[in-house]
Amino acid sequence: MKISTIKELLDANTVCGEEQLSRHVYSACGSDMMSDVLAYVKDQAVLLTGLVNSQVIRTAEMMDMNCIVFVRSKVPTAEMIELAKESGIVLLTTSKRLYEACGILYSNGLIGNRVKD
Amino acid sequence: MSEGLTFHFNVDGEDFTSAGQASVMMKKNLRQLGLPPEIIRRVSVAMYEGEINMVIHAGGGVADVNVTENYVEIILTDSGPGIKDIEQAMQEGFSTATDSIRSLGFGAGMGLPNMKRYSDYMHIDSEVGKGTTITMRVNIN
C-alpha cells in the first residue's frame, strides 16, 4: 500500500517526508510498546502509535520501517521530526484512535506483520 | 574484511532521550561495510534493546562491537545492580522496570528475549551489586 493511500484513508496530515509519499509499505503494526514492535515487525512496515518520544523514531529506524502514523492527534516533537528526516521516515498524524486507524488499514488490504521466530 | 573491525561506544545512562544513539551509529557503520540488510537489522535491534536496558537498569555502560568475516559480536558491559535471576529475566513479559519506563514504551519484559531472538549466540554474565556483561553474536554466513 502506498503511504499516500494511508494518508488518504486515515485523513492524516504529513509532518515530514512529503516527497516520499509514493513509497510502499507491506505490513503494519499498531502498538505503544516499542519492544513489541521490535519483536514482531518485518521491514517496510508502517508503525501506528500513540507514543511520542525519540525512541519511537529509533525503533522504526532499527526495523527499517519507512512510515509512522501518530494517532489521537499526537504531535511529534521537533527533535523527533529531525531524527525522522535524517532517517528518511515519513511522519503522519491522524485524529483517529489506534484501534480505528488499524482497522481501516486492515480492511483496505494492509494486513498485519508476520512473526519472526 | 579479512581482519576484524572493532567499534567502541559509551552509553550515557542519564538521558533516556538519547538512548539508542550507539545502535544508530553502529547500524550506519554496518551499512557502510555492506553487510546484508537482514544481518544489519538483527545486530541493530539486539544492540538497541541492550542499550535501552543499560540506560533503564544500569545507569549506562559501554558497548563494544567486533565485526569479523563470520559474525558480528556485541559486548555490552555495565556496572549496574546486576540480574538476580537470569532465567526469570529471560522470560517474555517479566520486567522490573518502573511504570515511568513503561510509559516511555519500554519495560514490557521483551528486551532480553528480543536480544536472544535476534542473535545466534547470547551469554549473560552477571553479579548482583557488581554489574552485567552480555555477549551476543550474529552470524554473517
Side-chain angles (χ1 to χ4, degrees):
Chain A
M1 181 180 281
K2 271 190 176 180
I3 295 175
S4 57
T5 307
I6 292 172
K7 181 186 174 182
E8 198 180 308
L9 287 168
L10 299 182
D11 196 17
N13 294 314
T14 311
V15 178
C16 70
E18 185 79 44
E19 69 287 353
Q20 298 182 76
L21 294 181
S22 59
R23 290 172 73 186
H24 284 80
V25 296
Y26 298 95
S27 62
C29 177
S31 181
D32 288 350
M33 295 306 290
M34 293 302 105
S35 283
D36 282 344
V37 178
L38 290 164
Y40 299 122
V41 173
K42 300 291 281 186
D43 65 342
Q44 290 180 290
V46 55
L47 170 62
L48 297 101
T49 187
L51 186 69
V52 177
N53 66 45
S54 301
Q55 301 310 335
V56 177
I57 313 292
R58 291 214 178 89
T59 296
E61 180 172 3
M62 290 300 136
M63 299 304 283
D64 299 319
M65 302 170 100
N66 51 21
C67 179
I68 302 170
V69 180
F70 294 96
V71 297
R72 302 193 300 274
S73 301
K74 296 288 180 75
V75 180
T77 64
E79 186 186 5
M80 291 167 68
I81 295 168
E82 208 47 50
L83 282 174
K85 283 180 180 171
E86 282 173 22
S87 306
I89 298 170
V90 178
L91 300 186
L92 304 175
T93 60
T94 177
S95 60
K96 298 188 188 312
R97 285 184 260 178
L98 183 59
Y99 179 78
E100 187 186 3
C102 291
I104 290 169
L105 296 186
Y106 192 96
S107 60
N108 278 278
L110 189 63
I111 59 166
N113 52 72
R114 288 157 289 177
V115 178
K116 178 193 179 301
D117 283 315
Chain B
M1 202 168 32
S2 54
E3 294 296 322
L5 290 170
T6 61
F7 302 87
H8 178 79
F9 304 92
N10 290 314
V11 177
D12 181 1
E14 300 298 314
D15 183 11
F16 182 78
T17 307
S18 65
Q21 280 179 341
S23 303
V24 171
M25 282 167 68
M26 195 58 223
K27 186 166 190 178
K28 284 179 184 154
N29 291 334
L30 293 175
R31 275 196 188 129
Q32 281 175 357
L33 290 172
L35 266 65
E38 179 63 22
I39 300 295
I40 294 175
R41 190 179 320 130
R42 288 173 58 199
V43 171
S44 304
V45 174
M47 183 172 167
Y48 180 55
E49 285 280 22
E51 204 183 333
I52 293 283
N53 267 353
M54 282 203 289
V55 174
I56 291 174
H57 298 289
V62 294
D64 291 285
V65 182
N66 305 312
V67 184
T68 73
E69 208 168 336
N70 298 317
Y71 59 80
V72 180
E73 183 179 60
I74 308 154
I75 303 169
L76 306 167
T77 310
D78 70 59
S79 304
I83 302 169
K84 203 185 292 179
D85 185 336
I86 292 174
E87 200 179 326
Q88 190 178 34
M90 287 305 299
Q91 289 172 12
E92 288 195 4
F94 176 81
S95 176
T96 56
T98 60
D99 285 345
S100 64
I101 292 300
R102 289 202 183 89
S103 71
L104 294 168
F106 288 89
M110 292 297 286
L112 286 171
N114 273 352
M115 289 157 73
K116 189 170 176 63
R117 187 192 305 266
Y118 286 101
S119 56
D120 293 301
Y121 165 87
M122 179 165 131
H123 177 74
I124 302 174
D125 190 10
S126 187
E127 195 176 334
V128 173
K130 297 263 180 168
T132 300
T133 299
I134 298 181
T135 304
M136 294 178 284
R137 274 187 214 132
V138 174
N139 294 334
I140 293 174
N141 297 312

